């Protein structure tokens, strides 16, 4: 996938695991979100109530197959072994995880996304060969309990002003009311969790976000 294809894939990026779906079946939520137009999916089975072991792998395999059927890139959060086992299209790692270059070495040809909270971390990820950056938290988030301090879209502007042209997605508390400034700040797309996963209709939530970021 070249840089422009990756930018297009980052447009509406659903990050989700079973704890983010309320009482809904994560498979059904993902199916609806795909129908609503999400362009990439990250399997992030974390937080209270997250599945573990065989149940986690089984859910991951089902969601992976669904993404393959609809040609939606499937990314795994943090875990290299799971990314390999599920034959994921890529992995997303934090700054504290192994350098992106080492991860790519082990996960041949996979997309490697790296979290960045400021221009220094963005520069470090670029130097390590990250394929895209996840920059946040943009706004207060209910999902990531150990999220760093809210920096807002201004941080995306600072990273772009620092000369970093890498594909970049904003994440953290993004919903239909605040998505536009993230794109205006220079992000190629938005990553959302609750705005779609916890919506009454994930399909309509995705469709609404799609209209807003492509206005
Ligand atoms: C902590 C994270 C930061 N950014 C992203 C993404 F949006 F995918 F780039 N995913 C994460 N899990």
């Amino acid at each position: 996938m070249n840089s422009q294809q990756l930018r297009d894939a980052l447009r509406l990026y659903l990050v989700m695991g079973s704890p983010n779906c309320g009482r809904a079946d994560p498979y059904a939520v993902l199916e609806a979100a795909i129908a609503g137009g999400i362009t990439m999916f990250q399997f992030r089975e974390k937080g209270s109530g997250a599945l573990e072991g065989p149940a986690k792998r089984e859910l991951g395999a089902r969601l992976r197959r669904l993404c393959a059927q609809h040609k939606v890139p499937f990314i795994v959060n943090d875990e290299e072994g799971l990314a390999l086992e599920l034959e994921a299209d890529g992995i997303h790692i934090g700054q504290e995880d192994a350098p992106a270059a080492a991860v790519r070495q082990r996960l041949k040809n996979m997309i490697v996304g790296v979290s960045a909270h400021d221009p220094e971390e963005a520069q470090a990820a670029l130097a390590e060969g990250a394929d895209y950056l996840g920059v946040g938290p943009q706004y207060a988030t209910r999902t990531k309990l150990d999220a760093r301090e809210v920096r807002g879209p201004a941080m995306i502007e600072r990273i772009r002003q620092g000369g970093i042209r890498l594909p970049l997605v904003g994440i953290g508390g993004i919903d239909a009311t605040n998505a536009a400034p993230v794109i205006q700040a220079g992000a190629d797309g938005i990553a959302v969790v609750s705005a779609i996963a916890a919506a009454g209709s994930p399909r309509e939530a995705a469709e609404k976000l799609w209209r807003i970021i492509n206005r």
Side-chain angles (χ1 to χ4, degrees):
M1 186 181 285
N2 67 35
S3 181
Q4 186 53 49
Q5 287 167 323
L6 185 49
R7 286 181 206 285
D8 295 344
L10 288 169
R11 203 79 186 138
L12 182 53
Y13 189 177
L14 173 61
V15 176
M16 183 188 87
S18 60
N20 310 115
C21 296
R23 289 189 306 280
D25 166 13
Y27 187 92
V29 171
L30 179 54
E31 205 164 33
I34 289 173
I38 63 163
T39 51
M40 191 135 121
F41 174 70
Q42 180 186 135
F43 181 48
R44 181 177 178 275
E45 188 66 16
K46 277 180 104 168
S48 67
L51 299 174
E52 300 192 338
K56 176 174 183 176
R57 289 195 292 276
E58 178 49 39
L59 175 60
R62 290 176 61 224
L63 301 182
R64 203 273 165 279
R65 276 194 298 275
L66 182 58
C67 286
Q69 283 161 10
H70 295 273
K71 297 186 179 27
V72 171
F74 179 88
I75 308 294
V76 168
N77 185 48
D78 281 350
E79 299 172 67
E80 291 185 33
L82 188 59
L84 283 168
E85 181 180 339
L86 298 181
E87 297 182 330
D89 296 300
I91 188 169
H92 187 90
I93 58 176
Q95 282 282 322
E96 66 285 350
D97 297 318
V103 172
R104 179 201 307 293
Q105 189 53 37
R106 290 190 289 272
L107 301 181
K108 302 255 179 294
N109 304 323
M110 280 200 198
I111 296 165
V112 177
V114 179
S115 302
H117 305 87
D118 57 37
E120 292 69 35
E121 290 189 359
Q123 192 58 46
L126 176 67
E128 279 295 336
D131 293 304
Y132 76 80
L133 299 176
V135 178
Q138 293 299 305
Y139 308 104
T141 170
R142 299 175 296 281
T143 303
K144 187 172 170 56
L145 300 183
D146 60 342
R148 305 265 287 272
E149 161 200 3
V150 171
R151 298 297 188 80
M155 181 53 74
I156 294 175
E157 286 172 0
R158 274 185 57 199
I159 289 171
R160 288 304 196 206
Q161 282 153 13
I164 294 190
R165 315 295 338 137
L166 210 56
L168 181 160
V169 67
I171 188 169
I174 300 176
D175 60 30
T177 68
N178 59 27
V182 176
I183 301 297
Q184 286 150 13
D188 294 290
I190 57 170
V192 299
V193 184
S194 310
I196 290 178
S201 165
R203 174 174 183 158
E204 287 172 12
E207 287 169 344
K208 185 172 183 185
L209 283 164
W210 181 253
R211 284 195 297 274
I212 288 165
I213 58 181
N214 287 295
R215 182 165 291 157

